[in-house]
Amino acid sequence: MPNELSWSDFTKVEMRIGTIIEAEIFQEARNPAYKMIIDFGAIGKRKTSAQVTKLYTPDALLGKQVVAVVNFPPKQIANIMSECLVLGGVVGNGEVTLIQPEREVKNGTKIG
């Protein structure tokens, strides 16, 4: 498989579960996206954007728990500084389905 990771590489990726507490249309983004704030419990709230507009509305995102990588350095996206990367499956035609826990868990729960 190309780009194989070592176990050591994988353990550096910090994935956590958080709850989306704010979501709105990201007018300034080049591609259709939402600006979101996600609550990760003890590690705090993080801003991000996600191109999930084909399958979700901002109202439908509120309260959803998602999985995100939280240890990337901040990245400038249009006029916001993204502080995490929400994970999803790309199912075709730009449709992204969010990766979610099967039941509600404490915000900040580590994925391992």
Side-chain angles (χ1 to χ4, degrees):
M1 175 171 269
N3 299 318
E4 280 188 2
L5 294 177
S6 70
W7 185 255
S8 173
D9 291 333
F10 176 73
T11 61
K12 294 175 189 174
V13 179
E14 184 84 13
M15 291 180 281
R16 301 280 180 146
I17 295 173
T19 300
I20 299 171
I21 59 171
E22 290 183 32
E24 63 184 57
I25 295 171
F26 193 177
Q27 298 286 350
E28 300 82 5
R30 262 185 258 168
N31 298 312
Y34 297 130
K35 287 191 268 190
M36 299 185 294
I37 297 178
I38 302 171
D39 182 356
F40 290 100
I43 65 168
K45 296 172 184 165
R46 306 267 175 113
K47 292 181 287 184
T48 193
S49 70
Q51 295 177 2
V52 296
T53 59
K54 291 195 176 184
L55 297 180
Y56 304 94
T57 64
D59 286 342
L61 291 170
L62 293 178
K64 276 196 184 302
Q65 286 197 304
V66 293
V67 177
V69 177
V70 297
N71 65 332
F72 283 128
K75 180 179 180 179
Q76 187 75 45
I77 300 176
N79 65 342
I80 71 163
M81 191 63 76
S82 180
E83 301 169 316
C84 64
L85 175 68
V86 175
L87 301 179
V90 180
V91 294
N93 297 326
E95 293 179 352
V96 177
T97 183
L98 295 169
I99 296 174
Q100 302 174 273
E102 70 165 334
R103 62 184 57 115
E104 190 171 329
V105 296
K106 184 177 176 184
N107 286 336
T109 297
K110 188 173 182 177
I111 303 297

